[in-house]
Amino acid sequence: MKFGVMFANTGPFATPEGAAAMAQAAEQAGFESIWTVEHVVVPVGYQSEYPYDKSGRMPGGEHTDIPDPLVWLAYVAAHTTTLKLGTGIVIANQRNPLVLAKEVATLDVLSGGRLLLGVGVGWLREEFDALGVPFEGRGRRLDECIEAMRALWSQEEASFEGEFTSFRRAVSRPKPVAGTVPVIVGGHSNAAARRAGRLGDGFFPGKGSNERLRELFGIMRDAALEAGRDPEAIELTTGGAAAFAPDPVAALRELEDDLGVHRVVIPPLAFDPEEIGPALARFGDDVIAKVA
C-alpha cells in the first residue's frame, strides 16, 4: 500500500519554507505522494455546501491561503527527487483544456514524470459564477476536458471535436514523460464512480464508509466493463481514517485486501513547518513501515 499527504498546499505550507519542509519531510518519512487542493477564488459568504465537513463550510474560512496547485507543485518538484505530485483536485472544468494540458505536461517533464492529475467537477457554484463558467453541465465539461487533454498529449498534431472545445492539427509540446499523465477522478458520488470507470486511470472518493466505498468501487468497475476497460487497472485511493483506527495495520489491511485500495492519504499531522517533519516521521515508523 502507498501513502500520501493531503491538503499539502494549505495554510503554513503555502510559503516557500513551508512547502519545502512539507514535501521533504513526506519524502523522507516514506510517503509516496503529496496532494494539493484548489480554489481559484472563494467568494465571501458563499452558500454552497462544502461536502467534506458536517458544518458545510471549508476549514479555515474564506481567507485561507490556497496556492495554485500546479505552480506550488512545480516549486516542490525542485525540492524533492522521488515524491509523486498529486492534485486532489484540480477543478479542470473551470480551465481551458488546451492551457491546462500544456501546464500539466510541462510540470510532468520538469519533475521527471512524477505528476498525478486528480480532477473533479467542483462544488462551489459561486466560484464558477465568478469565473464565468456555467455550473450546470460541469460533468460533461470535465469529461470533455479529460479527452481533449489526452488528445493533445498523445497526438503530434492533435484534433478534437467536442461540445465545448474543438481544435484541428494543434501541436502541444512538450509531451508528458510517459506519453500521458495519470488522470485520477475525484468525488464520492455515483456519477464520479461512473466517470472513473469510463475515463479514469484512478478513482479517489473524497469520503465514505467501507460499505459506501465498496458500493462506489462496484459502480466504477461496472462502468469500466461497459466501456470495454479493465477495472483492475484503475488505481484506488481513499482518505486515511483507517490509519488512525485503534489497530491501524488491521484497518489498512482490510482496505487493501477486501476493497482493493492501493493508496491512502492522510491530512498533515502538524500545521507548523518545524513540527511536520517529526510528525510525519513518527507516522512513517509506526504505520508505513508496517503496511507499505
Side-chain angles (χ1 to χ4, degrees):
M1 178 175 284
K2 297 176 284 191
F3 291 85
V5 181
M6 188 66 179
F7 304 109
N9 63 326
T10 61
F13 308 115
T15 66
E17 299 80 10
M22 158 65 78
Q24 290 170 347
E27 188 168 74
Q28 292 166 10
F31 286 85
E32 171 251 5
S33 53
I34 54 173
W35 296 77
T36 59
V37 294
E38 172 175 56
H39 282 290
V40 176
V41 295
V42 180
V44 173
Y46 65 87
Q47 297 300 305
S48 299
E49 181 179 354
Y50 177 66
Y52 302 109
D53 191 277
K54 293 180 180 179
S55 70
R57 309 294 292 179
M58 288 188 294
E62 292 94 331
H63 297 281
T64 299
D65 285 350
I66 307 176
D68 178 89
L70 299 177
V71 175
W72 189 89
L73 287 171
Y75 182 84
V76 162
H79 289 79
T80 55
T81 56
T82 62
L83 196 68
K84 296 284 188 179
L85 312 169
T87 60
I89 58 172
V90 160
I91 310 171
N93 49 8
Q94 292 180 344
R95 296 173 176 240
N96 182 298
L98 286 83
V99 176
L100 181 57
K102 171 61 68 74
E103 292 172 335
V104 167
T106 301
L107 176 51
D108 187 69
V109 168
L110 292 177
S111 67
R114 289 189 277 150
L115 190 59
L116 304 171
L117 183 64
V119 299
V121 297
W123 59 272
L124 185 53
R125 175 185 286 270
E126 291 88 343
E127 181 181 25
F128 280 79
D129 293 343
L131 291 168
V133 178
F135 191 69
E136 286 72 21
R138 64 195 187 282
R140 300 196 316 276
R141 192 179 293 271
L142 176 59
D143 290 353
E144 189 172 294
C145 180
I146 294 169
E147 293 170 341
M149 288 192 298
R150 283 176 169 159
L152 289 161
W153 294 334
S154 63
Q155 301 173 26
E156 186 57 41
E157 297 180 357
S159 296
F160 181 83
E161 190 71 31
E163 178 183 358
F164 307 104
T165 302
S166 299
F167 49 85
R168 293 189 58 80
R169 301 192 67 187
V171 176
S172 180
R173 299 189 65 88
K175 301 296 186 185
V177 171
T180 190
V181 173
V183 175
I184 299 170
V185 175
H188 55 277
S189 66
N190 291 358
R194 290 190 292 269
R195 177 172 295 109
R198 293 194 315 271
L199 296 171
D201 300 300
F203 180 32
F204 183 179
K207 64 178 182 178
S209 64
N210 283 13
E211 292 73 20
R212 176 57 175 159
L213 290 175
R214 185 176 287 107
E215 180 183 8
L216 287 170
F217 294 158
I219 293 169
M220 179 276 292
R221 292 185 177 105
D222 289 344
L225 290 172
E226 290 173 7
R229 306 180 69 217
D230 178 6
E232 299 307 315
I234 300 173
E235 188 177 61
L236 302 179
T237 302
T238 70
F244 305 102
D247 185 349
V249 174
L252 290 165
R253 288 298 185 205
E254 180 180 357
L255 285 178
E256 185 174 37
D257 297 339
D258 295 349
L259 299 183
V261 170
H262 302 95
R263 179 189 296 108
V264 166
V265 298
I266 66 168
L269 300 179
F271 280 91
D272 185 308
E274 294 185 1
E275 296 176 4
I276 191 65
L280 294 182
R282 285 192 296 271
F283 186 89
D285 292 338
D286 295 342
V287 179
I288 295 177
K290 298 176 182 178
V291 179

